[in-house]
Amino acid sequence: MMTVSPKKNASPQAHIIAIGGAKGGVGKSLLAANLGVYLAAQGKRTILVDLDLGGANLHLFLGIWSLERKVDDFLEKRYGSIEELLLPTKYGPLLVGGGGGALGAANIHHARKLKLLRALRNLKADYVIMDLGGDTSFNMLDFYLAAHTGVVLTTMDPASYLDAYNFIKVGLLRRLSRIFGPESPYRQEKDEALADIINRFVASAGNGQRLEALLDEVAATRPQGLKLLRQVVETYRPRTVINMPAGDNDVDALAERLSKVSARMLSIGISYIGQLAYDGTIHQSTQNLVPHVARHPEGSLAQFCKLLMVDIEPGQAVAETSGADTSVALTA
């Protein structure tokens, strides 16, 4: 067991990491919790935020059975600031606990969502890690898009990886549809004609159109908007993680398929971080409610966290990764 005191002099703006995917039970909460413990052990002030508003359970992965205060309390104005929700954990990171699961709790109003996003961006930390719910609601997509880095988990199950691709796709469409929204960094550059072209494409995207068709239309009819549109598309770069491959499944082939389909249909590049093979010790950690990284700071899951952080911030790697095994373990 480890106890870490967070670093006092945190960076002026936290790097926000979203752990998402369109399906429950693929390992999002376990990865979020252990990544938080790993970063805290490196002396980074790290805040974990459970944004599965309808079925929060991130606190359980940190050995906490019940929550004194939750994100609902901030949204319902029972607390004036999100900092008042921060709960210390004995494994290092601070925690903002998720909602209580009341009927309709996940369907927060857009204005409340923007308030929550602003509060998360202003948290004094090195890293804020958001654990998202397993769906493609506007709320989940907007939380995902608000992050500096988005990670999408899938398994080898066809329903899971099809959902993962769909999450990547609808995330991009949501980003395009909100290109000039109040939460967007491009809101001051609003171009009504460009927005109309984009919205018509988004509305018809279910017909199997490639994103290249949108780029071609903008180039032909609104060329002054093409540079901005390309910037929005090219800076959308999900990281993918394949969890719990079984037997002789060709994990690399699946990763390559996801990459090729995303490039062909969405005109984007995705970064494949690695595969996470089943490991009984990690499964046992979930039963014991002790983060695996806390008990095994040099174990396979800690090695994967190192690998992930090198991809996220290559110039600021928090630990040496030479020789790290990319075939490591995770459980749901």
Side-chain angles (χ1 to χ4, degrees), residues 86-143:
L86 294 176
L87 297 171
T89 71
K90 58 186 176 181
Y91 301 110
L94 298 167
L95 172 68
V96 175
L103 183 63
N107 302 316
I108 61 174
H109 189 274
H110 187 70
R112 289 188 175 185
K113 175 171 56 183
L114 293 182
K115 173 188 174 184
L116 178 57
L117 288 174
R118 285 193 297 269
L120 293 177
R121 290 191 186 104
N122 291 328
L123 282 170
K124 299 296 189 293
D126 293 300
Y127 294 97
V128 172
I129 301 172
M130 302 188 299
D131 177 25
L132 306 184
D135 62 65
T136 56
S137 66
F138 285 163
N139 285 334
M140 287 305 108
L141 293 175
D142 288 346
F143 292 142

Side-chain angles (χ1 to χ4, degrees), residues 2-6 36-37 40-41 44 46 62 87-94:
M2 68 172 71
T3 302
V4 179
S5 298
V37 172
K44 304 296 183 181
T46 305
L62 295 161
L87 297 171
T89 71
K90 58 186 176 181
Y91 301 110
L94 298 167

